[in-house]
Amino acid sequence: MLKQRLMWIVWPAFLMAGVIEMLVFSMVDPEDMHWFGHQLEFSRQGIYTVSFFVFWLVTSLSGALTTLLALSPFEVNRCPLPQDDRPDGCPKQGAS
């Protein structure tokens, strides 16, 4: 289930990072970008690459937060340990 949820987050974020990349760099020239008053020392492709991964990270975090907020109370509160290995405070229901 974890792999499936990870793909629910990472794949749409990858697609949206590509769309954001196209939108941003259709209006901004990478060689005109400055960071704290200094021109960036990367090539155009370097700036495209770094910004794609930044966009991917931001959209992945957004998707991860949405997935976290969509969890049911049962999924959040269940004990992930087998019945025999549970500490005293671990809920009795929801044995895996």
Side-chain angles (χ1 to χ4, degrees):
M1 186 68 162
L2 180 64
K3 287 181 183 179
Q4 184 180 21
R5 285 202 177 146
L6 187 61
M7 286 307 298
W8 289 348
I9 295 166
V10 175
W11 178 243
F14 177 84
L15 295 175
M16 287 311 300
V19 170
I20 294 169
E21 179 101 3
M22 288 185 282
L23 290 174
V24 167
F25 290 113
S26 69
M27 294 181 274
V28 177
D29 184 9
E31 291 185 350
D32 291 340
M33 296 177 71
H34 292 78
W35 185 260
F36 294 109
H38 300 287
Q39 191 163 359
L40 296 175
E41 298 294 326
F42 296 123
S43 66
R44 278 182 191 258
Q45 288 181 336
I47 293 172
Y48 291 146
T49 302
V50 169
S51 57
F52 174 80
F53 283 111
V54 169
F55 297 148
W56 194 7
L57 176 69
V58 170
T59 53
S60 292
L61 290 174
S62 172
L65 181 60
T66 301
T67 303
L68 176 68
L69 293 174
L71 291 175
S72 71
F74 171 75
E75 291 173 305
V76 172
N77 295 323
R78 71 181 174 144
C79 187
L81 301 173
Q83 187 99 17
D84 299 336
D85 295 336
R86 292 184 183 168
D88 291 333
C90 205
K92 303 278 188 261
Q93 297 107 334
S96 353

